[in-house]
Amino acid sequence: MSQRGPWRVIDNSVAYENPWIRVEHHDVISPGQQPGIYGVVHFKHYAVGVIPLEDNLDTWIVGQYRYPLQRYSWEIPEGGAAHSESLLEAAQRELREEVGLVARDWELIHEFDTSNSVTDEQAYIYVARGLHREGAPEPEHTEQLALRRVPFSQLHAEVLQGLHRDSLTVVGVLKLAHLLDHGLLRPAQS
């Protein structure tokens, strides 16, 4: 038996595992002293998102079909960073693979937990500036991507209208809009 805050864990086992996630089953005693179960999805990677910001404040979004949701989604470039990989290097890789861009200036603008009632997944969002083309996008074999360049103000308006539901996109766009509106974004390196 072990303790997790006010929860007592009677037993735990791995219900399913693959290279990206591990699903754990926990038999627990709740904080209210009732027996129960808890399922935890452990991610073996961090979630990393990038908002590429052109000098004129245009940005790039990536469209793809999301299998679990069974619908198409337009999102900021994003992917996974192995726990042994630098978050910045993962963000740089995702921008290169999904958009074909590299950036001179990088700033981590937000960190958050994606769905803390069922998973331990942590997310990190960067803004990338000083962009230049580094060839064509090279998506992974699991990705069939479309690419759009849009004004950041349009993307922000679309997020506020609920047209984008991806958590990294929503959180990143709202945070960047706040930073831009209040002059809080670190000046880009020249």
Side-chain angles (χ1 to χ4, degrees), residues 75-108:
E75 309 162 355
I76 63 174
E78 58 190 51
H83 289 176
S84 60
E85 181 179 20
S86 151
L87 294 170
L88 178 57
E89 288 173 351
Q92 291 168 334
R93 176 179 38 76
E94 290 298 330
L95 183 61
R96 171 66 189 89
E97 286 177 1
E98 294 190 359
V99 188
L101 295 174
V102 295
R104 178 184 66 250
D105 188 58
W106 291 83
E107 184 175 348
L108 178 64

PDB file of all heavy atoms in Angstrom, residues 75-108:
ATOM      1  N   GLU A  75      -4.238  23.307 -36.136  1.00  0.00           N
ATOM      2  CA  GLU A  75      -3.501  23.474 -34.886  1.00  0.00           C
ATOM      3  C   GLU A  75      -2.176  24.184 -35.125  1.00  0.00           C
ATOM      4  O   GLU A  75      -1.684  24.214 -36.248  1.00  0.00           O
ATOM      5  CB  GLU A  75      -3.186  22.083 -34.300  1.00  0.00           C
ATOM      6  CG  GLU A  75      -4.370  21.169 -34.201  1.00  0.00           C
ATOM      7  CD  GLU A  75      -3.992  19.703 -34.035  1.00  0.00           C
ATOM      8  OE1 GLU A  75      -2.793  19.362 -34.092  1.00  0.00           O
ATOM      9  OE2 GLU A  75      -4.921  18.898 -33.856  1.00  0.00           O
ATOM     10  N   ILE A  76      -1.589  24.659 -34.041  1.00  0.00           N
ATOM     11  CA  ILE A  76      -0.210  25.111 -34.126  1.00  0.00           C
ATOM     12  C   ILE A  76       0.661  23.869 -34.355  1.00  0.00           C
ATOM     13  O   ILE A  76       0.244  22.754 -34.020  1.00  0.00           O
ATOM     14  CB  ILE A  76       0.230  25.882 -32.854  1.00  0.00           C
ATOM     15  CG1 ILE A  76       0.197  24.992 -31.611  1.00  0.00           C
ATOM     16  CG2 ILE A  76      -0.612  27.137 -32.671  1.00  0.00           C
ATOM     17  CD1 ILE A  76       0.759  25.635 -30.346  1.00  0.00           C
ATOM     18  N   PRO A  77       1.847  24.012 -34.912  1.00  0.00           N
ATOM     19  CA  PRO A  77       2.749  22.852 -35.030  1.00  0.00           C
ATOM     20  C   PRO A  77       3.040  22.290 -33.635  1.00  0.00           C
ATOM     21  O   PRO A  77       3.357  23.044 -32.717  1.00  0.00           O
ATOM     22  CB  PRO A  77       4.005  23.442 -35.674  1.00  0.00           C
ATOM     23  CG  PRO A  77       3.541  24.693 -36.342  1.00  0.00           C
ATOM     24  CD  PRO A  77       2.411  25.221 -35.513  1.00  0.00           C
ATOM     25  N   GLU A  78       2.907  20.979 -33.503  1.00  0.00           N
ATOM     26  CA  GLU A  78       3.089  20.370 -32.183  1.00  0.00           C
ATOM     27  C   GLU A  78       3.446  18.904 -32.305  1.00  0.00           C
ATOM     28  O   GLU A  78       3.236  18.290 -33.344  1.00  0.00           O
ATOM     29  CB  GLU A  78       1.823  20.531 -31.341  1.00  0.00           C
ATOM     30  CG  GLU A  78       0.599  19.937 -31.965  1.00  0.00           C
ATOM     31  CD  GLU A  78      -0.685  20.320 -31.247  1.00  0.00           C
ATOM     32  OE1 GLU A  78      -0.908  21.518 -31.004  1.00  0.00           O
ATOM     33  OE2 GLU A  78      -1.464  19.399 -30.940  1.00  0.00           O
ATOM     34  N   GLY A  79       3.982  18.384 -31.226  1.00  0.00           N
ATOM     35  CA  GLY A  79       4.362  16.983 -31.206  1.00  0.00           C
ATOM     36  C   GLY A  79       4.878  16.600 -29.842  1.00  0.00           C
ATOM     37  O   GLY A  79       4.639  17.292 -28.851  1.00  0.00           O
ATOM     38  N   GLY A  80       5.628  15.510 -29.804  1.00  0.00           N
ATOM     39  CA  GLY A  80       6.122  14.994 -28.544  1.00  0.00           C
ATOM     40  C   GLY A  80       7.619  15.159 -28.397  1.00  0.00           C
ATOM     41  O   GLY A  80       8.366  15.122 -29.367  1.00  0.00           O
ATOM     42  N   ALA A  81       8.040  15.353 -27.150  1.00  0.00           N
ATOM     43  CA  ALA A  81       9.462  15.426 -26.800  1.00  0.00           C
ATOM     44  C   ALA A  81       9.747  14.307 -25.817  1.00  0.00           C
ATOM     45  O   ALA A  81       9.127  14.238 -24.751  1.00  0.00           O
ATOM     46  CB  ALA A  81       9.802  16.764 -26.154  1.00  0.00           C
ATOM     47  N   ALA A  82      10.639  13.408 -26.185  1.00  0.00           N
ATOM     48  CA  ALA A  82      11.040  12.359 -25.253  1.00  0.00           C
ATOM     49  C   ALA A  82      11.574  13.004 -23.980  1.00  0.00           C
ATOM     50  O   ALA A  82      12.154  14.097 -24.023  1.00  0.00           O
ATOM     51  CB  ALA A  82      12.103  11.471 -25.893  1.00  0.00           C
ATOM     52  N   HIS A  83      11.370  12.357 -22.852  1.00  0.00           N
ATOM     53  CA  HIS A  83      11.833  12.926 -21.585  1.00  0.00           C
ATOM     54  C   HIS A  83      13.348  13.126 -21.569  1.00  0.00           C
ATOM     55  O   HIS A  83      13.855  13.954 -20.815  1.00  0.00           O
ATOM     56  CB  HIS A  83      11.380  12.059 -20.416  1.00  0.00           C
ATOM     57  CG  HIS A  83       9.896  12.151 -20.185  1.00  0.00           C
ATOM     58  ND1 HIS A  83       9.254  11.403 -19.244  1.00  0.00           N
ATOM     59  CD2 HIS A  83       8.934  12.889 -20.776  1.00  0.00           C
ATOM     60  CE1 HIS A  83       7.961  11.681 -19.258  1.00  0.00           C
ATOM     61  NE2 HIS A  83       7.749  12.581 -20.188  1.00  0.00           N
ATOM     62  N   SER A  84      14.053  12.414 -22.428  1.00  0.00           N
ATOM     63  CA  SER A  84      15.506  12.568 -22.505  1.00  0.00           C
ATOM     64  C   SER A  84      15.919  13.667 -23.491  1.00  0.00           C
ATOM     65  O   SER A  84      17.098  13.990 -23.585  1.00  0.00           O
ATOM     66  CB  SER A  84      16.142  11.248 -22.945  1.00  0.00           C
ATOM     67  OG  SER A  84      15.642  10.873 -24.222  1.00  0.00           O
ATOM     68  N   GLU A  85      14.965  14.248 -24.221  1.00  0.00           N
ATOM     69  CA  GLU A  85      15.242  15.249 -25.251  1.00  0.00           C
ATOM     70  C   GLU A  85      15.017  16.651 -24.697  1.00  0.00           C
ATOM     71  O   GLU A  85      14.124  16.873 -23.880  1.00  0.00           O
ATOM     72  CB  GLU A  85      14.294  14.990 -26.431  1.00  0.00           C
ATOM     73  CG  GLU A  85      14.440  15.907 -27.604  1.00  0.00           C
ATOM     74  CD  GLU A  85      13.471  15.570 -28.728  1.00  0.00           C
ATOM     75  OE1 GLU A  85      12.443  14.900 -28.489  1.00  0.00           O
ATOM     76  OE2 GLU A  85      13.746  15.988 -29.855  1.00  0.00           O
ATOM     77  N   SER A  86      15.784  17.595 -25.169  1.00  0.00           N
ATOM     78  CA  SER A  86      15.572  18.995 -24.809  1.00  0.00           C
ATOM     79  C   SER A  86      14.236  19.454 -25.373  1.00  0.00           C
ATOM     80  O   SER A  86      13.908  19.183 -26.538  1.00  0.00           O
ATOM     81  CB  SER A  86      16.717  19.831 -25.384  1.00  0.00           C
ATOM     82  OG  SER A  86      16.305  21.141 -25.677  1.00  0.00           O
ATOM     83  N   LEU A  87      13.460  20.162 -24.556  1.00  0.00           N
ATOM     84  CA  LEU A  87      12.175  20.692 -25.021  1.00  0.00           C
ATOM     85  C   LEU A  87      12.362  21.628 -26.209  1.00  0.00           C
ATOM     86  O   LEU A  87      11.606  21.575 -27.180  1.00  0.00           O
ATOM     87  CB  LEU A  87      11.461  21.419 -23.888  1.00  0.00           C
ATOM     88  CG  LEU A  87      11.013  20.554 -22.722  1.00  0.00           C
ATOM     89  CD1 LEU A  87      10.553  21.419 -21.564  1.00  0.00           C
ATOM     90  CD2 LEU A  87       9.920  19.591 -23.156  1.00  0.00           C
ATOM     91  N   LEU A  88      13.370  22.484 -26.149  1.00  0.00           N
ATOM     92  CA  LEU A  88      13.629  23.409 -27.244  1.00  0.00           C
ATOM     93  C   LEU A  88      13.997  22.663 -28.516  1.00  0.00           C
ATOM     94  O   LEU A  88      13.495  22.983 -29.603  1.00  0.00           O
ATOM     95  CB  LEU A  88      14.733  24.401 -26.863  1.00  0.00           C
ATOM     96  CG  LEU A  88      15.125  25.394 -27.955  1.00  0.00           C
ATOM     97  CD1 LEU A  88      13.927  26.215 -28.430  1.00  0.00           C
ATOM     98  CD2 LEU A  88      16.247  26.301 -27.468  1.00  0.00           C
ATOM     99  N   GLU A  89      14.849  21.653 -28.410  1.00  0.00           N
ATOM    100  CA  GLU A  89      15.212  20.873 -29.598  1.00  0.00           C
ATOM    101  C   GLU A  89      13.986  20.183 -30.201  1.00  0.00           C
ATOM    102  O   GLU A  89      13.846  20.108 -31.420  1.00  0.00           O
ATOM    103  CB  GLU A  89      16.283  19.842 -29.252  1.00  0.00           C
ATOM    104  CG  GLU A  89      17.634  20.457 -28.996  1.00  0.00           C
ATOM    105  CD  GLU A  89      18.667  19.454 -28.489  1.00  0.00           C
ATOM    106  OE1 GLU A  89      18.316  18.297 -28.169  1.00  0.00           O
ATOM    107  OE2 GLU A  89      19.839  19.853 -28.408  1.00  0.00           O
ATOM    108  N   ALA A  90      13.093  19.702 -29.362  1.00  0.00           N
ATOM    109  CA  ALA A  90      11.869  19.071 -29.862  1.00  0.00           C
ATOM    110  C   ALA A  90      10.990  20.093 -30.571  1.00  0.00           C
ATOM    111  O   ALA A  90      10.436  19.817 -31.638  1.00  0.00           O
ATOM    112  CB  ALA A  90      11.108  18.415 -28.717  1.00  0.00           C
ATOM    113  N   ALA A  91      10.863  21.283 -30.004  1.00  0.00           N
ATOM    114  CA  ALA A  91      10.072  22.335 -30.642  1.00  0.00           C
ATOM    115  C   ALA A  91      10.680  22.722 -31.991  1.00  0.00           C
ATOM    116  O   ALA A  91       9.961  22.889 -32.987  1.00  0.00           O
ATOM    117  CB  ALA A  91       9.979  23.553 -29.718  1.00  0.00           C
ATOM    118  N   GLN A  92      11.996  22.839 -32.034  1.00  0.00           N
ATOM    119  CA  GLN A  92      12.673  23.175 -33.289  1.00  0.00           C
ATOM    120  C   GLN A  92      12.451  22.081 -34.331  1.00  0.00           C
ATOM    121  O   GLN A  92      12.201  22.367 -35.507  1.00  0.00           O
ATOM    122  CB  GLN A  92      14.168  23.390 -33.030  1.00  0.00           C
ATOM    123  CG  GLN A  92      14.441  24.630 -32.221  1.00  0.00           C
ATOM    124  CD  GLN A  92      15.862  24.726 -31.695  1.00  0.00           C
ATOM    125  OE1 GLN A  92      16.546  23.717 -31.498  1.00  0.00           O
ATOM    126  NE2 GLN A  92      16.308  25.952 -31.451  1.00  0.00           N
ATOM    127  N   ARG A  93      12.519  20.823 -33.910  1.00  0.00           N
ATOM    128  CA  ARG A  93      12.290  19.697 -34.818  1.00  0.00           C
ATOM    129  C   ARG A  93      10.869  19.711 -35.362  1.00  0.00           C
ATOM    130  O   ARG A  93      10.639  19.537 -36.555  1.00  0.00           O
ATOM    131  CB  ARG A  93      12.576  18.377 -34.088  1.00  0.00           C
ATOM    132  CG  ARG A  93      12.265  17.138 -34.914  1.00  0.00           C
ATOM    133  CD  ARG A  93      12.573  15.839 -34.177  1.00  0.00           C
ATOM    134  NE  ARG A  93      12.266  15.811 -32.760  1.00  0.00           N
ATOM    135  CZ  ARG A  93      11.035  15.686 -32.247  1.00  0.00           C
ATOM    136  NH1 ARG A  93       9.996  15.590 -33.045  1.00  0.00           N
ATOM    137  NH2 ARG A  93      10.871  15.657 -30.934  1.00  0.00           N
ATOM    138  N   GLU A  94       9.887  19.944 -34.501  1.00  0.00           N
ATOM    139  CA  GLU A  94       8.492  19.963 -34.937  1.00  0.00           C
ATOM    140  C   GLU A  94       8.241  21.080 -35.953  1.00  0.00           C
ATOM    141  O   GLU A  94       7.550  20.873 -36.942  1.00  0.00           O
ATOM    142  CB  GLU A  94       7.546  20.104 -33.743  1.00  0.00           C
ATOM    143  CG  GLU A  94       7.477  18.883 -32.865  1.00  0.00           C
ATOM    144  CD  GLU A  94       6.951  17.640 -33.568  1.00  0.00           C
ATOM    145  OE1 GLU A  94       6.125  17.757 -34.499  1.00  0.00           O
ATOM    146  OE2 GLU A  94       7.378  16.527 -33.193  1.00  0.00           O
ATOM    147  N   LEU A  95       8.804  22.260 -35.714  1.00  0.00           N
ATOM    148  CA  LEU A  95       8.629  23.369 -36.653  1.00  0.00           C
ATOM    149  C   LEU A  95       9.234  23.022 -38.004  1.00  0.00           C
ATOM    150  O   LEU A  95       8.631  23.255 -39.058  1.00  0.00           O
ATOM    151  CB  LEU A  95       9.250  24.654 -36.097  1.00  0.00           C
ATOM    152  CG  LEU A  95       9.073  25.892 -36.968  1.00  0.00           C
ATOM    153  CD1 LEU A  95       7.601  26.241 -37.162  1.00  0.00           C
ATOM    154  CD2 LEU A  95       9.827  27.074 -36.356  1.00  0.00           C
ATOM    155  N   ARG A  96      10.407  22.413 -37.992  1.00  0.00           N
ATOM    156  CA  ARG A  96      11.076  22.021 -39.240  1.00  0.00           C
ATOM    157  C   ARG A  96      10.299  20.926 -39.963  1.00  0.00           C
ATOM    158  O   ARG A  96      10.054  21.007 -41.158  1.00  0.00           O
ATOM    159  CB  ARG A  96      12.509  21.561 -38.923  1.00  0.00           C
ATOM    160  CG  ARG A  96      13.265  20.919 -40.055  1.00  0.00           C
ATOM    161  CD  ARG A  96      13.542  21.921 -41.188  1.00  0.00           C
ATOM    162  NE  ARG A  96      14.086  21.251 -42.342  1.00  0.00           N
ATOM    163  CZ  ARG A  96      13.354  20.730 -43.334  1.00  0.00           C
ATOM    164  NH1 ARG A  96      12.054  20.806 -43.317  1.00  0.00           N
ATOM    165  NH2 ARG A  96      13.942  20.153 -44.361  1.00  0.00           N
ATOM    166  N   GLU A  97       9.892  19.881 -39.232  1.00  0.00           N
ATOM    167  CA  GLU A  97       9.194  18.753 -39.846  1.00  0.00           C
ATOM    168  C   GLU A  97       7.818  19.137 -40.385  1.00  0.00           C
ATOM    169  O   GLU A  97       7.440  18.712 -41.474  1.00  0.00           O
ATOM    170  CB  GLU A  97       8.995  17.622 -38.825  1.00  0.00           C
ATOM    171  CG  GLU A  97      10.240  16.849 -38.498  1.00  0.00           C
ATOM    172  CD  GLU A  97       9.997  15.788 -37.432  1.00  0.00           C
ATOM    173  OE1 GLU A  97       8.850  15.626 -36.953  1.00  0.00           O
ATOM    174  OE2 GLU A  97      10.980  15.126 -37.061  1.00  0.00           O
ATOM    175  N   GLU A  98       7.067  19.915 -39.606  1.00  0.00           N
ATOM    176  CA  GLU A  98       5.683  20.176 -39.973  1.00  0.00           C
ATOM    177  C   GLU A  98       5.487  21.392 -40.871  1.00  0.00           C
ATOM    178  O   GLU A  98       4.528  21.435 -41.636  1.00  0.00           O
ATOM    179  CB  GLU A  98       4.819  20.312 -38.713  1.00  0.00           C
ATOM    180  CG  GLU A  98       4.737  19.010 -37.940  1.00  0.00           C
ATOM    181  CD  GLU A  98       3.711  19.022 -36.833  1.00  0.00           C
ATOM    182  OE1 GLU A  98       3.047  20.057 -36.615  1.00  0.00           O
ATOM    183  OE2 GLU A  98       3.568  17.970 -36.176  1.00  0.00           O
ATOM    184  N   VAL A  99       6.375  22.372 -40.775  1.00  0.00           N
ATOM    185  CA  VAL A  99       6.189  23.603 -41.541  1.00  0.00           C
ATOM    186  C   VAL A  99       7.348  23.865 -42.503  1.00  0.00           C
ATOM    187  O   VAL A  99       7.196  24.638 -43.445  1.00  0.00           O
ATOM    188  CB  VAL A  99       5.984  24.810 -40.585  1.00  0.00           C
ATOM    189  CG1 VAL A  99       5.592  26.066 -41.352  1.00  0.00           C
ATOM    190  CG2 VAL A  99       4.944  24.508 -39.525  1.00  0.00           C
ATOM    191  N   GLY A 100       8.500  23.244 -42.283  1.00  0.00           N
ATOM    192  CA  GLY A 100       9.662  23.496 -43.129  1.00  0.00           C
ATOM    193  C   GLY A 100      10.381  24.791 -42.784  1.00  0.00           C
ATOM    194  O   GLY A 100      11.094  25.341 -43.599  1.00  0.00           O
ATOM    195  N   LEU A 101      10.193  25.265 -41.548  1.00  0.00           N
ATOM    196  CA  LEU A 101      10.796  26.523 -41.109  1.00  0.00           C
ATOM    197  C   LEU A 101      11.797  26.286 -39.985  1.00  0.00           C
ATOM    198  O   LEU A 101      11.665  25.335 -39.212  1.00  0.00           O
ATOM    199  CB  LEU A 101       9.719  27.487 -40.593  1.00  0.00           C
ATOM    200  CG  LEU A 101       8.695  28.008 -41.591  1.00  0.00           C
ATOM    201  CD1 LEU A 101       7.631  28.833 -40.866  1.00  0.00           C
ATOM    202  CD2 LEU A 101       9.373  28.840 -42.676  1.00  0.00           C
ATOM    203  N   VAL A 102      12.766  27.175 -39.911  1.00  0.00           N
ATOM    204  CA  VAL A 102      13.648  27.281 -38.754  1.00  0.00           C
ATOM    205  C   VAL A 102      13.528  28.704 -38.238  1.00  0.00           C
ATOM    206  O   VAL A 102      13.120  29.615 -38.968  1.00  0.00           O
ATOM    207  CB  VAL A 102      15.119  26.915 -39.084  1.00  0.00           C
ATOM    208  CG1 VAL A 102      15.241  25.457 -39.479  1.00  0.00           C
ATOM    209  CG2 VAL A 102      15.681  27.811 -40.153  1.00  0.00           C
ATOM    210  N   ALA A 103      13.872  28.895 -36.978  1.00  0.00           N
ATOM    211  CA  ALA A 103      13.728  30.202 -36.346  1.00  0.00           C
ATOM    212  C   ALA A 103      15.010  30.592 -35.636  1.00  0.00           C
ATOM    213  O   ALA A 103      15.723  29.743 -35.104  1.00  0.00           O
ATOM    214  CB  ALA A 103      12.561  30.182 -35.359  1.00  0.00           C
ATOM    215  N   ARG A 104      15.269  31.880 -35.616  1.00  0.00           N
ATOM    216  CA  ARG A 104      16.448  32.423 -34.936  1.00  0.00           C
ATOM    217  C   ARG A 104      16.172  32.648 -33.445  1.00  0.00           C
ATOM    218  O   ARG A 104      17.047  32.523 -32.603  1.00  0.00           O
ATOM    219  CB  ARG A 104      16.834  33.746 -35.617  1.00  0.00           C
ATOM    220  CG  ARG A 104      18.015  34.469 -34.996  1.00  0.00           C
ATOM    221  CD  ARG A 104      18.294  35.830 -35.654  1.00  0.00           C
ATOM    222  NE  ARG A 104      17.199  36.759 -35.413  1.00  0.00           N
ATOM    223  CZ  ARG A 104      16.338  37.203 -36.344  1.00  0.00           C
ATOM    224  NH1 ARG A 104      16.447  36.817 -37.593  1.00  0.00           N
ATOM    225  NH2 ARG A 104      15.377  38.031 -36.026  1.00  0.00           N
ATOM    226  N   ASP A 105      14.914  32.976 -33.103  1.00  0.00           N
ATOM    227  CA  ASP A 105      14.582  33.394 -31.747  1.00  0.00           C
ATOM    228  C   ASP A 105      13.464  32.519 -31.185  1.00  0.00           C
ATOM    229  O   ASP A 105      12.429  32.350 -31.826  1.00  0.00           O
ATOM    230  CB  ASP A 105      14.140  34.867 -31.764  1.00  0.00           C
ATOM    231  CG  ASP A 105      13.961  35.433 -30.381  1.00  0.00           C
ATOM    232  OD1 ASP A 105      14.924  35.403 -29.603  1.00  0.00           O
ATOM    233  OD2 ASP A 105      12.847  35.904 -30.074  1.00  0.00           O
ATOM    234  N   TRP A 106      13.694  31.969 -29.995  1.00  0.00           N
ATOM    235  CA  TRP A 106      12.730  31.083 -29.350  1.00  0.00           C
ATOM    236  C   TRP A 106      12.439  31.570 -27.940  1.00  0.00           C
ATOM    237  O   TRP A 106      13.356  31.942 -27.215  1.00  0.00           O
ATOM    238  CB  TRP A 106      13.287  29.670 -29.276  1.00  0.00           C
ATOM    239  CG  TRP A 106      13.383  29.021 -30.616  1.00  0.00           C
ATOM    240  CD1 TRP A 106      14.395  29.163 -31.528  1.00  0.00           C
ATOM    241  CD2 TRP A 106      12.424  28.166 -31.211  1.00  0.00           C
ATOM    242  NE1 TRP A 106      14.115  28.430 -32.658  1.00  0.00           N
ATOM    243  CE2 TRP A 106      12.910  27.804 -32.482  1.00  0.00           C
ATOM    244  CE3 TRP A 106      11.203  27.662 -30.797  1.00  0.00           C
ATOM    245  CZ2 TRP A 106      12.215  26.964 -33.339  1.00  0.00           C
ATOM    246  CZ3 TRP A 106      10.509  26.808 -31.641  1.00  0.00           C
ATOM    247  CH2 TRP A 106      11.016  26.484 -32.902  1.00  0.00           C
ATOM    248  N   GLU A 107      11.170  31.539 -27.555  1.00  0.00           N
ATOM    249  CA  GLU A 107      10.801  31.894 -26.188  1.00  0.00           C
ATOM    250  C   GLU A 107       9.720  30.937 -25.686  1.00  0.00           C
ATOM    251  O   GLU A 107       8.672  30.775 -26.331  1.00  0.00           O
ATOM    252  CB  GLU A 107      10.283  33.333 -26.125  1.00  0.00           C
ATOM    253  CG  GLU A 107       9.973  33.794 -24.715  1.00  0.00           C
ATOM    254  CD  GLU A 107       9.564  35.259 -24.633  1.00  0.00           C
ATOM    255  OE1 GLU A 107       9.722  35.996 -25.621  1.00  0.00           O
ATOM    256  OE2 GLU A 107       9.085  35.660 -23.554  1.00  0.00           O
ATOM    257  N   LEU A 108       9.980  30.312 -24.549  1.00  0.00           N
ATOM    258  CA  LEU A 108       8.981  29.480 -23.884  1.00  0.00           C
ATOM    259  C   LEU A 108       7.965  30.427 -23.253  1.00  0.00           C
ATOM    260  O   LEU A 108       8.327  31.264 -22.430  1.00  0.00           O
ATOM    261  CB  LEU A 108       9.638  28.606 -22.815  1.00  0.00           C
ATOM    262  CG  LEU A 108       8.710  27.711 -22.001  1.00  0.00           C
ATOM    263  CD1 LEU A 108       8.043  26.657 -22.886  1.00  0.00           C
ATOM    264  CD2 LEU A 108       9.485  27.043 -20.868  1.00  0.00           C
TER     265      LEU A 108
END
